[in-house]
Amino acid sequence: MATAHTTEAGSSRAVRRPGDVIFSGLSTGAAFLILAALAGVAIFLTIEGWPAVTASSGELGADNIVLHVWPLLFGTLLAAAIAMLIATPLAIGLALVISHYAPRRLAGPIGALIDLLAAVPSVVYGLWGIQYLAPKMLPVYQWLQDNLGFLPFFEGPATTGRTLLTASVVLAVMALPIITSISREVFAQTPVLHQEAALALGATRWEMIRLTVFPYGRSGVISAAMLGLGRALGETMAIAMVLSATGVISFNLISNQNPSTIAANIALKFPESTGVHVNVLIFSGLTLFVVTFLVNFAGRWIASRGQVKG
Amino acid sequence: MTVLETPPTAQRDALPLVAPQLPRWAPALALVIAAAGAGILALLLSWGLTGTLLATVLLLALVLPLWSRFVEGGRRAKDRLATILVWSTFGVAMIPLTTLLWQVIDNGAGVLSGQFFSYSMRNVVGEGGGIYHAIVGTLIITLWATAISVPVGVLAAVYLVEYGENRLPARIVTFLVDVMTGIPSIVAGLFAYALFVIFFGPGVRMGFGGSVALAVLMIPIVVRSTEEMLKLVPNELREASYALGVPKWRTITKVVIPTSLGGIITGVTLAIARVAGETAPLLIIAGKTDSVNFNAFAERMQSLPVFIYYSFTQPGVPPQYGQERAWGAALVLIALVMVLNLIARIIGRIFAPSKR
């Protein structure tokens, strides 16, 4: 059958009409325009960011561009890492609810509710974070400072709710839908025979999930977490609004001195910047692009490898 | 070995065929006990609703597995604990969604009025004014972004499904499109700025730049959804068309794309909903203004997300009115995005049977 198809397609291509040539050229061109756009992002950011590398230290406010970008990169990575610590276990649980725990009639609506979280614009998350979440978190931070203050993460002083931890919670909420939707698809693809075999041997539902679903879905969950990490690294507005940033490098999550993130720093400073400061911001944007590109690349690569294996 | 040596008859009556199980109503009873316990604690220590609910779940996660541990054994107890924990993640995930929607509706509903939708912010200080200019800007910018990304995205998907034939270039394009879905929105904005600066000089701001930035974010979504839809078109339709001597490009435009049109429109609508709420790129390249601007190719252009951001962070004096307008605009924006999502789902459902 398959060979018959290809010969048919081959013979129809043998008579090349002008319409065919134009249309295939157009669609191939569109596909490679996308690649060109991706390359263009890297190229144009490099062109416009380059003056920042050669700029004098007086213009930068730091000795060189690396020292300028490093605190921001640190804040970006820290906030995203904490967000992943919060979001990944939640997302795995949610994915299990949808794929294995909820009755089939309820699973669809529950999935739609989680997708609704993804539909909320980031600026509205910012409003919510600053007006609702930050004041609610302040008593929690004070409790953490009083009882766990000996840990470097909770040294305090806990005087504001607009801390790195609040920003990470908002990031976790925003990354939750993407991790959930990929994990639940992987979980739902677990071979039914594996699951039934486990149940037939007397496994409880949780043992069945641990023995069949988790091993089968491991690479899928890892790639989902990577993609969620990519989302959290690049998230801008929620952080720009929630975090009261001072640009320090510190693991102290609940103080009023917080590291800023690259994306939030660009959003806060770009509208008022001129001259070499614009180039500096674009260079930091290039750094962010490279980091998220690598994370997403790794995530997609693990996902595609998992598909081949399964 | 030693087990076999003991006479089996003596113990046969003591060996039950069924392991002891908790009754079906046990979880409900445990929930009542946990809620009652948490309620008493809440009364004694005067907790709020959140604390009470949290204590209920914690008590439930303690009571039911313990009970099960003594009746059913450790493995069942672990299973029940896992069930409680897995379901509680759903509860935790619903907290931000419900509080966010409630906050937006509670704060925003009072602001909505005819004036709010039909006035711009030009020369408005304090009370009054509206979001007309922001709605116009969002519509124009999103329209241009759609006009760029739909032809490119659909044609690229046609290449992947109809011409690429899963060879190496097509696989590379598919992979990089996937990677591209993860580009941070602010990077897309910087890209549009870096591109336009070359033609228009430093400090360039225009609505069309925002459209380019949004198109960078939108194209990968359009490509992925269109690709999935084109793959669903049965091969028999293509073969029937070829057998009638129809050229390949006519087959694609007259048979393949019309067959999958509903799915493509669904994907495009979801992509529009996704980018309509983007703030960061528009903040950078479209700028902000208080006046209506219909021309996407000149001057700054306001949009709803940017309006929300600035109304809230720079509300003016007194701050109350600016923040009220921010919440009102947030309600409008969320409603817009939700309606787009709903339309996408309805279109998807209407056209779904015709795919077969």
Side-chain angles (χ1 to χ4, degrees), chain B residues 137-138 141-146 148-149 185 188-189 192 207-221 271-272 274-282 285 303:
Chain B
T138 287
I141 292 173
T142 316
L143 208 65
W144 274 108
T146 314
I148 299 169
S149 49
S185 58
F208 187 69
S211 308
V212 170
L214 293 189
V216 170
L217 300 171
M218 208 173 149
I219 286 173
I221 312 177
I272 294 174
R274 171 92 178 69
V275 299
E278 283 297 349
T279 320
L282 302 181
I285 181 73
S303 56

PDB file of all heavy atoms in Angstrom, chain B residues 137-138 141-146 148-149 185 188-189 192 207-221 271-272 274-282 285 303:
ATOM      1  N   GLY B 137      -6.125  49.964  20.071  1.00  0.00           N
ATOM      2  CA  GLY B 137      -4.741  49.544  19.857  1.00  0.00           C
ATOM      3  C   GLY B 137      -4.599  48.035  19.880  1.00  0.00           C
ATOM      4  O   GLY B 137      -3.957  47.449  19.000  1.00  0.00           O
ATOM      5  N   THR B 138      -5.194  47.381  20.890  1.00  0.00           N
ATOM      6  CA  THR B 138      -5.101  45.922  20.977  1.00  0.00           C
ATOM      7  C   THR B 138      -5.671  45.267  19.730  1.00  0.00           C
ATOM      8  O   THR B 138      -5.075  44.344  19.161  1.00  0.00           O
ATOM      9  CB  THR B 138      -5.848  45.431  22.230  1.00  0.00           C
ATOM     10  OG1 THR B 138      -5.090  45.775  23.372  1.00  0.00           O
ATOM     11  CG2 THR B 138      -6.034  43.931  22.199  1.00  0.00           C
ATOM     12  N   ILE B 141      -3.238  45.976  16.642  1.00  0.00           N
ATOM     13  CA  ILE B 141      -1.973  45.245  16.746  1.00  0.00           C
ATOM     14  C   ILE B 141      -2.201  43.752  16.561  1.00  0.00           C
ATOM     15  O   ILE B 141      -1.471  43.071  15.825  1.00  0.00           O
ATOM     16  CB  ILE B 141      -1.303  45.536  18.115  1.00  0.00           C
ATOM     17  CG1 ILE B 141      -0.839  46.987  18.174  1.00  0.00           C
ATOM     18  CG2 ILE B 141      -0.145  44.598  18.348  1.00  0.00           C
ATOM     19  CD1 ILE B 141      -0.327  47.413  19.513  1.00  0.00           C
ATOM     20  N   THR B 142      -3.259  43.209  17.200  1.00  0.00           N
ATOM     21  CA  THR B 142      -3.518  41.778  17.092  1.00  0.00           C
ATOM     22  C   THR B 142      -3.926  41.408  15.669  1.00  0.00           C
ATOM     23  O   THR B 142      -3.546  40.356  15.156  1.00  0.00           O
ATOM     24  CB  THR B 142      -4.630  41.366  18.073  1.00  0.00           C
ATOM     25  OG1 THR B 142      -4.391  41.999  19.322  1.00  0.00           O
ATOM     26  CG2 THR B 142      -4.665  39.886  18.269  1.00  0.00           C
ATOM     27  N   LEU B 143      -4.693  42.309  15.016  1.00  0.00           N
ATOM     28  CA  LEU B 143      -5.116  42.050  13.631  1.00  0.00           C
ATOM     29  C   LEU B 143      -3.899  41.935  12.715  1.00  0.00           C
ATOM     30  O   LEU B 143      -3.801  40.997  11.912  1.00  0.00           O
ATOM     31  CB  LEU B 143      -6.020  43.200  13.173  1.00  0.00           C
ATOM     32  CG  LEU B 143      -7.052  42.855  12.106  1.00  0.00           C
ATOM     33  CD1 LEU B 143      -8.046  41.860  12.687  1.00  0.00           C
ATOM     34  CD2 LEU B 143      -7.764  44.106  11.634  1.00  0.00           C
ATOM     35  N   TRP B 144      -2.962  42.877  12.838  1.00  0.00           N
ATOM     36  CA  TRP B 144      -1.765  42.822  11.997  1.00  0.00           C
ATOM     37  C   TRP B 144      -0.945  41.577  12.316  1.00  0.00           C
ATOM     38  O   TRP B 144      -0.401  40.928  11.416  1.00  0.00           O
ATOM     39  CB  TRP B 144      -0.912  44.087  12.173  1.00  0.00           C
ATOM     40  CG  TRP B 144      -1.335  45.204  11.293  1.00  0.00           C
ATOM     41  CD1 TRP B 144      -1.970  46.346  11.663  1.00  0.00           C
ATOM     42  CD2 TRP B 144      -1.187  45.281   9.867  1.00  0.00           C
ATOM     43  NE1 TRP B 144      -2.233  47.131  10.565  1.00  0.00           N
ATOM     44  CE2 TRP B 144      -1.756  46.505   9.449  1.00  0.00           C
ATOM     45  CE3 TRP B 144      -0.631  44.435   8.905  1.00  0.00           C
ATOM     46  CZ2 TRP B 144      -1.784  46.897   8.126  1.00  0.00           C
ATOM     47  CZ3 TRP B 144      -0.664  44.826   7.578  1.00  0.00           C
ATOM     48  CH2 TRP B 144      -1.229  46.054   7.191  1.00  0.00           C
ATOM     49  N   ALA B 145      -0.847  41.252  13.596  1.00  0.00           N
ATOM     50  CA  ALA B 145      -0.082  40.053  13.961  1.00  0.00           C
ATOM     51  C   ALA B 145      -0.712  38.819  13.335  1.00  0.00           C
ATOM     52  O   ALA B 145      -0.015  37.935  12.806  1.00  0.00           O
ATOM     53  CB  ALA B 145      -0.033  39.906  15.484  1.00  0.00           C
ATOM     54  N   THR B 146      -2.058  38.756  13.329  1.00  0.00           N
ATOM     55  CA  THR B 146      -2.748  37.626  12.711  1.00  0.00           C
ATOM     56  C   THR B 146      -2.501  37.615  11.214  1.00  0.00           C
ATOM     57  O   THR B 146      -2.262  36.563  10.599  1.00  0.00           O
ATOM     58  CB  THR B 146      -4.259  37.714  12.992  1.00  0.00           C
ATOM     59  OG1 THR B 146      -4.444  38.019  14.362  1.00  0.00           O
ATOM     60  CG2 THR B 146      -4.963  36.431  12.659  1.00  0.00           C
ATOM     61  N   ILE B 148       0.032  38.631   9.627  1.00  0.00           N
ATOM     62  CA  ILE B 148       1.379  38.135   9.312  1.00  0.00           C
ATOM     63  C   ILE B 148       1.476  36.630   9.558  1.00  0.00           C
ATOM     64  O   ILE B 148       1.977  35.881   8.731  1.00  0.00           O
ATOM     65  CB  ILE B 148       2.438  38.851  10.184  1.00  0.00           C
ATOM     66  CG1 ILE B 148       2.421  40.354   9.923  1.00  0.00           C
ATOM     67  CG2 ILE B 148       3.820  38.283   9.908  1.00  0.00           C
ATOM     68  CD1 ILE B 148       3.236  41.135  10.917  1.00  0.00           C
ATOM     69  N   SER B 149       0.963  36.184  10.717  1.00  0.00           N
ATOM     70  CA  SER B 149       1.315  34.835  11.146  1.00  0.00           C
ATOM     71  C   SER B 149       0.446  33.755  10.526  1.00  0.00           C
ATOM     72  O   SER B 149       0.900  32.625  10.391  1.00  0.00           O
ATOM     73  CB  SER B 149       1.286  34.740  12.667  1.00  0.00           C
ATOM     74  OG  SER B 149       0.113  35.277  13.169  1.00  0.00           O
ATOM     75  N   SER B 185       8.459  36.266  25.797  1.00  0.00           N
ATOM     76  CA  SER B 185       7.785  37.315  25.047  1.00  0.00           C
ATOM     77  C   SER B 185       8.622  38.582  25.012  1.00  0.00           C
ATOM     78  O   SER B 185       8.626  39.302  24.020  1.00  0.00           O
ATOM     79  CB  SER B 185       6.416  37.590  25.658  1.00  0.00           C
ATOM     80  OG  SER B 185       6.546  37.952  26.999  1.00  0.00           O
ATOM     81  N   ALA B 188      11.013  38.528  22.196  1.00  0.00           N
ATOM     82  CA  ALA B 188      10.359  38.843  20.922  1.00  0.00           C
ATOM     83  C   ALA B 188      10.227  40.356  20.766  1.00  0.00           C
ATOM     84  O   ALA B 188      10.438  40.901  19.672  1.00  0.00           O
ATOM     85  CB  ALA B 188       8.999  38.178  20.856  1.00  0.00           C
ATOM     86  N   GLY B 189       9.891  41.036  21.861  1.00  0.00           N
ATOM     87  CA  GLY B 189       9.789  42.494  21.807  1.00  0.00           C
ATOM     88  C   GLY B 189      11.121  43.143  21.498  1.00  0.00           C
ATOM     89  O   GLY B 189      11.215  44.057  20.669  1.00  0.00           O
ATOM     90  N   ALA B 192      11.913  42.725  17.817  1.00  0.00           N
ATOM     91  CA  ALA B 192      11.213  43.691  16.962  1.00  0.00           C
ATOM     92  C   ALA B 192      11.872  45.057  17.072  1.00  0.00           C
ATOM     93  O   ALA B 192      12.069  45.744  16.060  1.00  0.00           O
ATOM     94  CB  ALA B 192       9.740  43.770  17.368  1.00  0.00           C
ATOM     95  N   GLY B 207       2.955  50.726  16.452  1.00  0.00           N
ATOM     96  CA  GLY B 207       2.089  49.578  16.704  1.00  0.00           C
ATOM     97  C   GLY B 207       2.475  48.372  15.882  1.00  0.00           C
ATOM     98  O   GLY B 207       2.418  47.228  16.361  1.00  0.00           O
ATOM     99  N   PHE B 208       2.932  48.598  14.622  1.00  0.00           N
ATOM    100  CA  PHE B 208       3.254  47.485  13.753  1.00  0.00           C
ATOM    101  C   PHE B 208       4.427  46.678  14.304  1.00  0.00           C
ATOM    102  O   PHE B 208       4.490  45.460  14.128  1.00  0.00           O
ATOM    103  CB  PHE B 208       3.581  47.997  12.346  1.00  0.00           C
ATOM    104  CG  PHE B 208       3.756  46.894  11.343  1.00  0.00           C
ATOM    105  CD1 PHE B 208       2.673  46.136  10.947  1.00  0.00           C
ATOM    106  CD2 PHE B 208       5.006  46.609  10.820  1.00  0.00           C
ATOM    107  CE1 PHE B 208       2.832  45.107  10.028  1.00  0.00           C
ATOM    108  CE2 PHE B 208       5.168  45.583   9.903  1.00  0.00           C
ATOM    109  CZ  PHE B 208       4.073  44.829   9.515  1.00  0.00           C
ATOM    110  N   GLY B 209       5.358  47.363  14.985  1.00  0.00           N
ATOM    111  CA  GLY B 209       6.460  46.645  15.634  1.00  0.00           C
ATOM    112  C   GLY B 209       5.926  45.640  16.645  1.00  0.00           C
ATOM    113  O   GLY B 209       6.403  44.504  16.734  1.00  0.00           O
ATOM    114  N   GLY B 210       4.891  46.071  17.386  1.00  0.00           N
ATOM    115  CA  GLY B 210       4.254  45.147  18.325  1.00  0.00           C
ATOM    116  C   GLY B 210       3.664  43.956  17.600  1.00  0.00           C
ATOM    117  O   GLY B 210       3.754  42.819  18.074  1.00  0.00           O
ATOM    118  N   SER B 211       3.069  44.209  16.403  1.00  0.00           N
ATOM    119  CA  SER B 211       2.496  43.103  15.641  1.00  0.00           C
ATOM    120  C   SER B 211       3.577  42.104  15.238  1.00  0.00           C
ATOM    121  O   SER B 211       3.360  40.891  15.286  1.00  0.00           O
ATOM    122  CB  SER B 211       1.806  43.639  14.387  1.00  0.00           C
ATOM    123  OG  SER B 211       0.908  44.654  14.717  1.00  0.00           O
ATOM    124  N   VAL B 212       4.756  42.634  14.819  1.00  0.00           N
ATOM    125  CA  VAL B 212       5.849  41.728  14.439  1.00  0.00           C
ATOM    126  C   VAL B 212       6.262  40.878  15.635  1.00  0.00           C
ATOM    127  O   VAL B 212       6.436  39.652  15.526  1.00  0.00           O
ATOM    128  CB  VAL B 212       7.049  42.545  13.902  1.00  0.00           C
ATOM    129  CG1 VAL B 212       8.272  41.658  13.728  1.00  0.00           C
ATOM    130  CG2 VAL B 212       6.692  43.206  12.591  1.00  0.00           C
ATOM    131  N   ALA B 213       6.397  41.522  16.798  1.00  0.00           N
ATOM    132  CA  ALA B 213       6.795  40.781  17.999  1.00  0.00           C
ATOM    133  C   ALA B 213       5.759  39.710  18.338  1.00  0.00           C
ATOM    134  O   ALA B 213       6.098  38.555  18.624  1.00  0.00           O
ATOM    135  CB  ALA B 213       6.961  41.743  19.174  1.00  0.00           C
ATOM    136  N   LEU B 214       4.463  40.078  18.267  1.00  0.00           N
ATOM    137  CA  LEU B 214       3.418  39.101  18.571  1.00  0.00           C
ATOM    138  C   LEU B 214       3.405  37.974  17.539  1.00  0.00           C
ATOM    139  O   LEU B 214       3.143  36.811  17.876  1.00  0.00           O
ATOM    140  CB  LEU B 214       2.046  39.772  18.628  1.00  0.00           C
ATOM    141  CG  LEU B 214       1.817  40.760  19.766  1.00  0.00           C
ATOM    142  CD1 LEU B 214       0.356  41.174  19.819  1.00  0.00           C
ATOM    143  CD2 LEU B 214       2.227  40.172  21.097  1.00  0.00           C
ATOM    144  N   ALA B 215       3.706  38.327  16.257  1.00  0.00           N
ATOM    145  CA  ALA B 215       3.720  37.294  15.217  1.00  0.00           C
ATOM    146  C   ALA B 215       4.796  36.257  15.507  1.00  0.00           C
ATOM    147  O   ALA B 215       4.592  35.057  15.275  1.00  0.00           O
ATOM    148  CB  ALA B 215       3.950  37.937  13.849  1.00  0.00           C
ATOM    149  N   VAL B 216       5.957  36.712  16.025  1.00  0.00           N
ATOM    150  CA  VAL B 216       7.021  35.762  16.380  1.00  0.00           C
ATOM    151  C   VAL B 216       6.505  34.756  17.411  1.00  0.00           C
ATOM    152  O   VAL B 216       6.832  33.570  17.361  1.00  0.00           O
ATOM    153  CB  VAL B 216       8.250  36.520  16.929  1.00  0.00           C
ATOM    154  CG1 VAL B 216       9.261  35.564  17.528  1.00  0.00           C
ATOM    155  CG2 VAL B 216       8.882  37.345  15.838  1.00  0.00           C
ATOM    156  N   LEU B 217       5.655  35.245  18.344  1.00  0.00           N
ATOM    157  CA  LEU B 217       5.116  34.346  19.374  1.00  0.00           C
ATOM    158  C   LEU B 217       3.975  33.486  18.823  1.00  0.00           C
ATOM    159  O   LEU B 217       3.733  32.379  19.300  1.00  0.00           O
ATOM    160  CB  LEU B 217       4.591  35.170  20.557  1.00  0.00           C
ATOM    161  CG  LEU B 217       5.625  36.035  21.247  1.00  0.00           C
ATOM    162  CD1 LEU B 217       4.947  36.959  22.239  1.00  0.00           C
ATOM    163  CD2 LEU B 217       6.641  35.171  21.949  1.00  0.00           C
ATOM    164  N   MET B 218       3.275  34.016  17.818  1.00  0.00           N
ATOM    165  CA  MET B 218       2.056  33.374  17.340  1.00  0.00           C
ATOM    166  C   MET B 218       2.343  32.290  16.309  1.00  0.00           C
ATOM    167  O   MET B 218       1.658  31.259  16.288  1.00  0.00           O
ATOM    168  CB  MET B 218       1.175  34.468  16.722  1.00  0.00           C
ATOM    169  CG  MET B 218      -0.296  34.197  16.778  1.00  0.00           C
ATOM    170  SD  MET B 218      -1.167  35.659  16.212  1.00  0.00           S
ATOM    171  CE  MET B 218      -2.585  34.856  15.488  1.00  0.00           C
ATOM    172  N   ILE B 219       3.329  32.532  15.441  1.00  0.00           N
ATOM    173  CA  ILE B 219       3.586  31.612  14.328  1.00  0.00           C
ATOM    174  C   ILE B 219       3.785  30.168  14.789  1.00  0.00           C
ATOM    175  O   ILE B 219       3.158  29.256  14.241  1.00  0.00           O
ATOM    176  CB  ILE B 219       4.780  32.119  13.478  1.00  0.00           C
ATOM    177  CG1 ILE B 219       4.346  33.307  12.643  1.00  0.00           C
ATOM    178  CG2 ILE B 219       5.311  31.024  12.574  1.00  0.00           C
ATOM    179  CD1 ILE B 219       5.475  33.993  11.908  1.00  0.00           C
ATOM    180  N   PRO B 220       4.633  29.918  15.807  1.00  0.00           N
ATOM    181  CA  PRO B 220       4.819  28.509  16.206  1.00  0.00           C
ATOM    182  C   PRO B 220       3.517  27.841  16.632  1.00  0.00           C
ATOM    183  O   PRO B 220       3.303  26.663  16.300  1.00  0.00           O
ATOM    184  CB  PRO B 220       5.783  28.592  17.394  1.00  0.00           C
ATOM    185  CG  PRO B 220       6.364  29.936  17.377  1.00  0.00           C
ATOM    186  CD  PRO B 220       5.481  30.818  16.592  1.00  0.00           C
ATOM    187  N   ILE B 221       2.629  28.585  17.310  1.00  0.00           N
ATOM    188  CA  ILE B 221       1.360  27.985  17.749  1.00  0.00           C
ATOM    189  C   ILE B 221       0.511  27.629  16.534  1.00  0.00           C
ATOM    190  O   ILE B 221      -0.077  26.545  16.462  1.00  0.00           O
ATOM    191  CB  ILE B 221       0.594  28.957  18.681  1.00  0.00           C
ATOM    192  CG1 ILE B 221       1.518  29.517  19.750  1.00  0.00           C
ATOM    193  CG2 ILE B 221      -0.603  28.277  19.295  1.00  0.00           C
ATOM    194  CD1 ILE B 221       0.863  30.530  20.654  1.00  0.00           C
ATOM    195  N   ALA B 271      -4.408  30.881  19.250  1.00  0.00           N
ATOM    196  CA  ALA B 271      -3.158  31.638  19.176  1.00  0.00           C
ATOM    197  C   ALA B 271      -3.421  33.119  19.414  1.00  0.00           C
ATOM    198  O   ALA B 271      -2.658  33.792  20.119  1.00  0.00           O
ATOM    199  CB  ALA B 271      -2.494  31.413  17.821  1.00  0.00           C
ATOM    200  N   ILE B 272      -4.532  33.636  18.840  1.00  0.00           N
ATOM    201  CA  ILE B 272      -4.862  35.054  19.066  1.00  0.00           C
ATOM    202  C   ILE B 272      -5.113  35.288  20.558  1.00  0.00           C
ATOM    203  O   ILE B 272      -4.624  36.260  21.139  1.00  0.00           O
ATOM    204  CB  ILE B 272      -6.112  35.451  18.247  1.00  0.00           C
ATOM    205  CG1 ILE B 272      -5.804  35.393  16.753  1.00  0.00           C
ATOM    206  CG2 ILE B 272      -6.572  36.845  18.624  1.00  0.00           C
ATOM    207  CD1 ILE B 272      -7.012  35.621  15.877  1.00  0.00           C
ATOM    208  N   ARG B 274      -3.896  33.726  22.951  1.00  0.00           N
ATOM    209  CA  ARG B 274      -2.635  33.628  23.679  1.00  0.00           C
ATOM    210  C   ARG B 274      -1.856  34.936  23.616  1.00  0.00           C
ATOM    211  O   ARG B 274      -1.290  35.375  24.611  1.00  0.00           O
ATOM    212  CB  ARG B 274      -1.826  32.477  23.071  1.00  0.00           C
ATOM    213  CG  ARG B 274      -0.423  32.321  23.520  1.00  0.00           C
ATOM    214  CD  ARG B 274      -0.307  31.370  24.688  1.00  0.00           C
ATOM    215  NE  ARG B 274       1.079  31.208  25.084  1.00  0.00           N
ATOM    216  CZ  ARG B 274       1.798  32.165  25.656  1.00  0.00           C
ATOM    217  NH1 ARG B 274       1.263  33.334  25.888  1.00  0.00           N
ATOM    218  NH2 ARG B 274       3.042  31.945  25.986  1.00  0.00           N
ATOM    219  N   VAL B 275      -1.824  35.582  22.425  1.00  0.00           N
ATOM    220  CA  VAL B 275      -0.985  36.780  22.300  1.00  0.00           C
ATOM    221  C   VAL B 275      -1.724  38.062  22.670  1.00  0.00           C
ATOM    222  O   VAL B 275      -1.085  39.076  22.916  1.00  0.00           O
ATOM    223  CB  VAL B 275      -0.386  36.927  20.878  1.00  0.00           C
ATOM    224  CG1 VAL B 275       0.481  35.741  20.546  1.00  0.00           C
ATOM    225  CG2 VAL B 275      -1.457  37.142  19.849  1.00  0.00           C
ATOM    226  N   ALA B 276      -3.073  38.021  22.707  1.00  0.00           N
ATOM    227  CA  ALA B 276      -3.807  39.254  22.990  1.00  0.00           C
ATOM    228  C   ALA B 276      -3.483  39.785  24.385  1.00  0.00           C
ATOM    229  O   ALA B 276      -3.587  40.978  24.637  1.00  0.00           O
ATOM    230  CB  ALA B 276      -5.316  39.017  22.861  1.00  0.00           C
ATOM    231  N   GLY B 277      -3.087  38.904  25.290  1.00  0.00           N
ATOM    232  CA  GLY B 277      -2.777  39.344  26.643  1.00  0.00           C
ATOM    233  C   GLY B 277      -1.313  39.640  26.879  1.00  0.00           C
ATOM    234  O   GLY B 277      -0.922  39.930  28.000  1.00  0.00           O
ATOM    235  N   GLU B 278      -0.482  39.554  25.829  1.00  0.00           N
ATOM    236  CA  GLU B 278       0.950  39.786  26.015  1.00  0.00           C
ATOM    237  C   GLU B 278       1.230  41.253  26.312  1.00  0.00           C
ATOM    238  O   GLU B 278       0.720  42.136  25.628  1.00  0.00           O
ATOM    239  CB  GLU B 278       1.725  39.356  24.761  1.00  0.00           C
ATOM    240  CG  GLU B 278       1.912  37.865  24.639  1.00  0.00           C
ATOM    241  CD  GLU B 278       2.748  37.276  25.760  1.00  0.00           C
ATOM    242  OE1 GLU B 278       3.358  38.050  26.527  1.00  0.00           O
ATOM    243  OE2 GLU B 278       2.784  36.037  25.862  1.00  0.00           O
ATOM    244  N   THR B 279       2.044  41.480  27.311  1.00  0.00           N
ATOM    245  CA  THR B 279       2.349  42.843  27.721  1.00  0.00           C
ATOM    246  C   THR B 279       3.748  43.260  27.320  1.00  0.00           C
ATOM    247  O   THR B 279       3.963  44.309  26.719  1.00  0.00           O
ATOM    248  CB  THR B 279       2.246  42.966  29.247  1.00  0.00           C
ATOM    249  OG1 THR B 279       1.142  42.215  29.674  1.00  0.00           O
ATOM    250  CG2 THR B 279       2.105  44.393  29.649  1.00  0.00           C
ATOM    251  N   ALA B 280       4.719  42.410  27.681  1.00  0.00           N
ATOM    252  CA  ALA B 280       6.121  42.808  27.623  1.00  0.00           C
ATOM    253  C   ALA B 280       6.554  43.308  26.243  1.00  0.00           C
ATOM    254  O   ALA B 280       7.172  44.380  26.151  1.00  0.00           O
ATOM    255  CB  ALA B 280       7.000  41.653  28.083  1.00  0.00           C
ATOM    256  N   PRO B 281       6.246  42.594  25.139  1.00  0.00           N
ATOM    257  CA  PRO B 281       6.720  43.090  23.840  1.00  0.00           C
ATOM    258  C   PRO B 281       6.118  44.437  23.482  1.00  0.00           C
ATOM    259  O   PRO B 281       6.803  45.293  22.905  1.00  0.00           O
ATOM    260  CB  PRO B 281       6.307  41.995  22.846  1.00  0.00           C
ATOM    261  CG  PRO B 281       5.433  41.074  23.564  1.00  0.00           C
ATOM    262  CD  PRO B 281       5.581  41.294  25.022  1.00  0.00           C
ATOM    263  N   LEU B 282       4.828  44.635  23.838  1.00  0.00           N
ATOM    264  CA  LEU B 282       4.173  45.895  23.473  1.00  0.00           C
ATOM    265  C   LEU B 282       4.711  47.047  24.306  1.00  0.00           C
ATOM    266  O   LEU B 282       4.802  48.179  23.847  1.00  0.00           O
ATOM    267  CB  LEU B 282       2.658  45.765  23.654  1.00  0.00           C
ATOM    268  CG  LEU B 282       2.040  44.640  22.844  1.00  0.00           C
ATOM    269  CD1 LEU B 282       0.543  44.582  23.057  1.00  0.00           C
ATOM    270  CD2 LEU B 282       2.345  44.823  21.382  1.00  0.00           C
ATOM    271  N   ILE B 285       8.011  47.974  22.278  1.00  0.00           N
ATOM    272  CA  ILE B 285       8.036  48.487  20.915  1.00  0.00           C
ATOM    273  C   ILE B 285       6.805  49.334  20.591  1.00  0.00           C
ATOM    274  O   ILE B 285       6.888  50.243  19.778  1.00  0.00           O
ATOM    275  CB  ILE B 285       8.229  47.328  19.901  1.00  0.00           C
ATOM    276  CG1 ILE B 285       8.292  47.832  18.471  1.00  0.00           C
ATOM    277  CG2 ILE B 285       7.182  46.262  20.057  1.00  0.00           C
ATOM    278  CD1 ILE B 285       9.553  48.529  18.138  1.00  0.00           C
ATOM    279  N   SER B 303      -2.228  49.671  24.313  1.00  0.00           N
ATOM    280  CA  SER B 303      -2.932  48.389  24.229  1.00  0.00           C
ATOM    281  C   SER B 303      -3.422  48.044  25.630  1.00  0.00           C
ATOM    282  O   SER B 303      -2.944  48.590  26.612  1.00  0.00           O
ATOM    283  CB  SER B 303      -2.001  47.307  23.702  1.00  0.00           C
ATOM    284  OG  SER B 303      -0.861  47.237  24.515  1.00  0.00           O
TER     285      SER B 303
END
